Amino acid sequence: MSSTEGTPVTDAYPRKILEYMEGFLISKTVFAACELGVFDVLLGAEHPLSAEEVSRAVGASLDGTQRLLAACTGLQLLNTHQGSGQVFYSNTEQARVYLTRSSPLSLLQSIQYSSRTIYLCWHYLTDAVREGRNQYEKAFGVSSADLFHALYRSDEEMVKFMHLMNSIWNICGRDVVTAFDLSPFKVICDLGGCSGALAKQCTSAYPECTVMIFDLPKVVHMSREHFVSEADQRISFYQGDFFKDPLPEADLYILARILHDWTDDRCIELLSRVHKACKPGGAVLLVEALLHEDGSGPLTVQLYSLNMLVQTEGRERTAAQYAALLAAAGFTNVQHRLTEKIYDAVLGHKEA
């Protein structure tokens, strides 16, 4: 029996394969436009600009700028306007909201981290698959024996990572902290809370709660310096290593994009520490991108799981797999909610 129908596959146009091959070209086009500040220049202009005006503003060649603007137009990131025999460019709404530095929903820092860090690790994806481990040593010349020593290998790299987290939670944070009604939990501890963006979403959604951010000392220092101000009076900080140091007592612990960094054994180790510190009747909220139970998708999460291979010790998991980790640590009545955004929520309870 033939495995194909209609036109033999050798004669068909391999549209999907070619699209996949072009994927990195699209990514690098967006990276370059953001790094050059194309969208910021267009945002600051009072009217659409010509390629010549953009090239002067960003300090790039006219020929290269023309090609970049054309590609961004094809990606529907720029609008074109005709006048006086010239083409003029302006931002689309998507570019204005998500690709300009001044927008509160900007993904610019996330894009720059992807370009300068994640992309370099993915150069060694084949090696990661062969070896079954992350590729920080090859990509950056630093040992990955201590995962977060590698991730935070310089202050600059740490701030870039914190900006990445900040931009993600500015877009997705409210959805995950309201997936369940968390109002009964007055004292919340955000483990690995990084920039404090998710803590701010909690205090905004639940006016009666307070949030403690627990993170490494140098992360806490950077968060206080760059992200959390004195105006955020319901947010406080605890310094420590959540695998080694005592955890503060709380009604609810949030682990957002934490467990996907670690092996199952390390996850159970951490969750057991959380269960011990948690008040009776309290809970733990996991925020992760969930795979379908049969592993068939979503594609984005499948790709994220490859990224975990390249960058960390962990993987993306199904809701049932997270439930099993929670149960192994002593949590019960585990539920999950899909947000229809990038990240979903899993809630486990400690018996009263």
Side-chain angles (χ1 to χ4, degrees):
M1 181 181 293
S2 173
S3 62
T4 59
E5 297 179 4
T7 306
V9 71
T10 51
D11 295 335
Y13 184 70
R15 188 178 308 277
K16 274 293 179 187
I17 302 299
L18 292 175
E19 286 178 3
Y20 298 154
M21 291 169 62
E22 292 167 358
F24 83 95
L25 302 178
I26 294 172
S27 296
K28 289 301 286 183
T29 297
V30 177
F31 294 166
C34 288
E35 289 174 19
L36 287 168
V38 168
F39 305 108
D40 292 317
V41 165
L42 292 173
L43 178 68
E46 297 180 357
H47 51 76
L49 300 180
S50 67
E52 185 174 1
E53 290 171 315
V54 174
S55 72
R56 284 201 303 267
V58 303
S61 70
L62 176 58
D63 180 43
T65 301
Q66 288 173 327
R67 300 185 198 206
L68 182 62
L69 295 176
C72 287
T73 302
L75 292 173
Q76 299 181 344
L77 299 175
L78 297 180
N79 298 312
T80 57
H81 313 266
Q82 303 290 331
S84 304
Q86 288 192 79
V87 179
F88 297 87
Y89 298 89
S90 65
N91 290 327
T92 63
E93 186 66 7
Q94 285 272 313
R96 183 189 69 77
V97 172
Y98 298 112
L99 299 180
T100 57
R101 189 176 302 275
S102 60
S103 170
L105 297 179
S106 177
L107 288 171
L108 183 64
Q109 297 288 348
S110 177
I111 287 168
Q112 289 182 341
Y113 187 81
S114 296
S115 174
R116 297 170 184 174
T117 300
I118 297 175
Y119 202 86
L120 296 181
C121 288
W122 273 69
H123 180 74
Y124 299 99
L125 175 60
T126 304
D127 292 339
V129 172
R130 284 196 182 112
E131 299 167 12
R133 62 187 181 91
N134 72 59
Q135 298 296 306
Y136 267 93
E137 194 160 351
K138 289 179 184 173
F140 304 108
V142 296
S143 171
S144 59
D146 181 338
L147 175 59
F148 278 87
H149 177 72
L151 279 172
Y152 297 153
R153 58 194 174 278
S154 69
D155 286 352
E156 179 186 7
E157 194 67 20
M158 180 167 52
V159 171
K160 284 196 297 183
F161 181 80
M162 293 174 77
H163 275 296
L164 161 70
M165 300 304 297
N166 211 55
S167 63
I168 288 171
W169 298 134
N170 284 342
I171 292 173
C172 305
R174 190 168 186 87
D175 294 280
V176 294
V177 301
T178 59
F180 294 95
D181 178 13
L182 303 180
S183 59
F185 307 110
K186 305 307 181 188
V187 180
I188 299 173
C189 181
D190 185 4
L191 289 183
C194 200
S195 69
L198 200 59
K200 292 177 186 178
Q201 295 289 349
C202 285
T203 56
S204 173
Y206 304 105
E208 296 183 1
C209 81
T210 60
V211 183
M212 301 174 283
I213 296 173
F214 186 98
D215 217 316
L216 298 169
K218 58 185 178 181
V219 177
V220 168
H221 173 75
M222 287 295 181
S223 186
R224 282 176 165 152
E225 184 175 340
H226 295 283
F227 299 98
V228 178
S229 70
E230 293 182 1
D232 301 304
Q233 296 182 359
R234 289 187 290 128
I235 297 175
S236 59
F237 290 93
Y238 279 77
Q239 300 181 15
D241 180 328
F242 51 48
F243 280 114
K244 299 176 182 177
D245 297 313
L247 303 181
E249 187 180 61
D251 300 311
L252 175 73
Y253 295 83
I254 297 177
L255 283 74
R257 283 176 43 116
I258 299 295
L259 295 190
H260 75 168
D261 289 337
W262 304 101
T263 64
D264 286 357
D265 288 344
R266 291 288 266 168
C267 289
I268 294 170
E269 177 187 350
L270 177 55
L271 289 172
S272 297
R273 302 189 87 239
V274 171
H275 187 270
K276 182 179 179 181
C278 185
K279 294 179 182 179
V284 60
L285 179 74
L286 309 182
V287 179
E288 299 285 0
L290 295 179
L291 286 164
H292 298 328
E293 290 302 327
D294 64 357
S296 63
L299 173 60
T300 298
V301 187
Q302 293 168 327
L303 295 174
Y304 284 177
S305 202
L306 275 178
N307 190 49
M308 292 301 99
L309 173 64
V310 169
Q311 285 202 279
T312 73
E313 298 176 12
R315 62 175 61 244
E316 306 298 350
R317 298 175 173 91
T318 67
Q321 288 170 329
Y322 282 116
L325 296 176
L326 287 164
F331 289 98
T332 61
N333 188 25
V334 178
Q335 307 165 59
H336 75 276
R337 299 272 170 83
L338 303 179
T339 67
E340 299 184 359
K341 299 286 181 65
I342 302 174
Y343 295 102
D344 305 306
V346 181
L347 188 68
H349 296 80
K350 179 175 179 177
E351 293 182 357

